[in-house]
Amino acid sequence: MFSTPSVRILAHNDSRSMIGAAPTVFAAFALAAVGGRMFSSKQINDGGTKTSMIVSSEHSFSDDLLSTPVNKVYLFTFPRAHHVHNISPFSLKVESFLRMHNIPYEVISTFKFSPKGQIPYIRLNSKENGTLIADSNFIIKFLSKKLGIDKVEDDILSSQEMAVAHAFTRMIEEHTTQIGFYYRYALNMEKFCTAVIPFNWFNHNSSLTLKAWLFLKFWKRIQPIGFKQKMKYVSFGRHSDEEKWTISCQDIQSISNYLGDKKYIFGDRATTLDCTLFGHFAQFLYIPLDFPQKKYIRENCINVLRYVDRFKEEYWSDWDKTV
């Protein structure tokens, strides 16, 4: 239940929230435009006397943290959405990683962002006061290091393949998907919300309340404006829409060329990069909007289409039940 209507502008990396309420809309625009973070401290007060360590980067992986047993991961993310499971490709990426490696986890539906202003984030072992790690790449980096997954990938991937994984991750997250966000938020916000947001999205178990309806209506009006403002401050945001579609499809073509006829990007075995690509490509392919990127994939990159479907069948056998 919301006490007051508030607005989160989803922007930049990991579905980032820039700031919150109607009186601060212009501040929100400014923060969204530069991709700022709300907090950078290592610790926050977690509701009273409890204090939780906030892991801000892979350099914060202390020996004490790495020695902490991981009995269960609590994944904080948006409630389930129609067609695509989650409107955050970064959340879909992390959940795919958890499934791939059979890591025990529980999804916690929330609209509360991490102290870094991001969704998703995780807590370890306790959903109330477990160690909090935000940013999908840091989450995966920590779990990989803690559970020895990084050593496995080091063994099966060459240094050149690791470099490709890094480059493809940066490309799709910082370029390709940002153009996809522009299409769905700045140009097609109403259609996007209608397509993916269930009637009970804001309160999970009962009919949509008046306050939730007001929140959604306000968010639908503010998000397009905020994202258009943000695009003015990135180089590709200055291009025409047709030019944006062209350069994002060039990204997709490069991935298609590298994939070729392989089962997954680096062969028969899926890796972290496949989780990343699935999370982002699923947004283009499964949301019922006329993304230019979807049309390009279907006409020119049929191997990518089959690749995404194949990953879903292997690691999301319950996809239709969860969406």
Side-chain angles (χ1 to χ4, degrees):
M1 182 71 68
F2 290 87
S3 57
T4 57
S6 61
V7 175
R8 297 282 186 175
I9 296 177
L10 308 185
H12 202 60
N13 223 352
D14 274 52
S15 301
R16 183 171 300 164
S17 159
M18 292 305 108
I19 191 113
T24 58
V25 166
F26 289 104
F29 291 165
L31 285 169
V34 298
R37 288 176 178 169
M38 295 174 65
F39 296 91
S40 59
S41 62
K42 288 292 187 69
Q43 293 186 332
I44 61 168
N45 186 282
D46 189 20
T49 60
K50 297 177 181 178
T51 302
S52 297
M53 179 64 73
I54 306 302
V55 180
S56 60
S57 76
E58 62 185 274
H59 301 296
S60 301
F61 299 160
S62 66
D63 290 340
D64 286 344
L65 177 60
L66 290 172
S67 66
T68 301
V70 178
N71 301 316
K72 191 171 185 178
V73 171
Y74 292 90
L75 174 62
F76 291 78
T77 185
F78 300 115
R80 296 305 192 209
H82 289 318
H83 303 291
V84 75
H85 193 74
N86 200 297
I87 64 168
S88 167
F90 305 98
S91 294
L92 195 53
K93 157 189 169 182
V94 171
E95 191 166 356
S96 295
F97 179 86
L98 294 171
R99 285 170 171 252
M100 178 187 292
H101 295 290
N102 298 310
I103 300 171
Y105 75 96
E106 179 180 337
V107 173
I108 307 297
S109 297
T110 186
F111 292 99
K112 182 179 180 181
F113 287 67
S114 76
K116 293 173 74 174
Q118 292 176 306
I119 280 181
Y121 54 96
I122 64 170
R123 284 190 181 275
L124 302 177
N125 303 326
S126 169
K127 62 184 176 182
E128 284 82 22
N129 62 348
T131 299
L132 187 154
I133 304 174
D135 190 290
S136 63
N137 288 314
F138 294 159
I139 292 168
I140 288 175
K141 189 74 174 179
F142 166 76
L143 292 174
S144 293
K145 192 173 184 66
K146 168 63 183 174
L147 301 175
I149 298 167
D150 58 341
K151 293 181 180 178
V152 174
E153 293 202 352
D154 284 346
D155 288 341
I156 65 175
L157 299 179
S158 67
S159 59
Q160 290 85 359
E161 287 171 328
M162 294 292 283
V164 168
H166 178 83
F168 275 171
T169 297
R170 290 293 177 265
M171 179 181 72
I172 199 163
E173 293 188 347
E174 304 289 349
H175 190 257
T176 322
T177 284
Q178 300 306 312
I179 293 174
F181 284 166
Y182 169 76
Y183 181 86
R184 78 189 201 184
Y185 290 141
L187 304 183
N188 292 281
M189 185 65 172
E190 184 70 35
K191 291 180 180 178
F192 170 72
C193 290
T194 299
V196 301
I197 296 180
F199 184 70
N200 65 351
W201 206 49
F202 289 89
N203 50 14
H204 308 174
N205 297 314
S206 60
S207 298
L208 194 66
T209 64
L210 176 60
K211 289 183 178 180
W213 180 83
L214 289 172
F215 176 95
L216 178 58
K217 191 174 183 65
F218 198 47
W219 181 60
K220 286 194 291 187
R221 297 182 70 177
I222 295 300
Q223 180 72 2
I225 299 171
F227 212 87
K228 287 177 182 177
Q229 286 292 106
K230 173 184 180 292
M231 292 298 282
K232 293 180 181 180
Y233 294 88
V234 293
S235 59
F236 56 83
R238 310 280 177 113
H239 300 319
S240 69
D241 288 352
E242 287 303 317
E243 289 170 334
K244 290 185 184 73
W245 314 152
T246 297
I247 59 177
S248 64
C249 289
Q250 288 171 347
D251 294 347
I252 295 169
Q253 186 63 60
S254 69
I255 295 171
S256 174
N257 291 346
Y258 192 90
L259 173 63
D261 59 0
K262 298 190 296 293
K263 182 179 179 180
Y264 293 115
I265 288 292
F266 297 122
D268 291 336
R269 184 171 180 173
T271 64
T272 299
L273 178 59
D274 296 292
C275 298
T276 301
L277 296 178
F278 175 77
H280 292 273
F281 280 139
Q283 305 288 315
F284 290 122
L285 292 173
Y286 298 149
I287 294 175
L289 291 179
D290 294 328
F291 289 102
Q293 297 84 357
K294 179 190 296 185
K295 182 175 185 291
Y296 186 87
I297 290 172
R298 288 177 171 174
E299 293 180 356
N300 301 279
C301 303
I302 194 67
N303 64 333
V304 171
L305 179 62
R306 292 170 177 164
Y307 160 76
V308 176
D309 287 341
R310 184 163 52 245
F311 186 97
K312 183 180 72 169
E313 290 171 6
E314 183 162 355
Y315 295 106
W316 288 89
S317 59
D318 58 344
W319 180 271
D320 292 336
K321 297 177 182 178
T322 58
V323 298

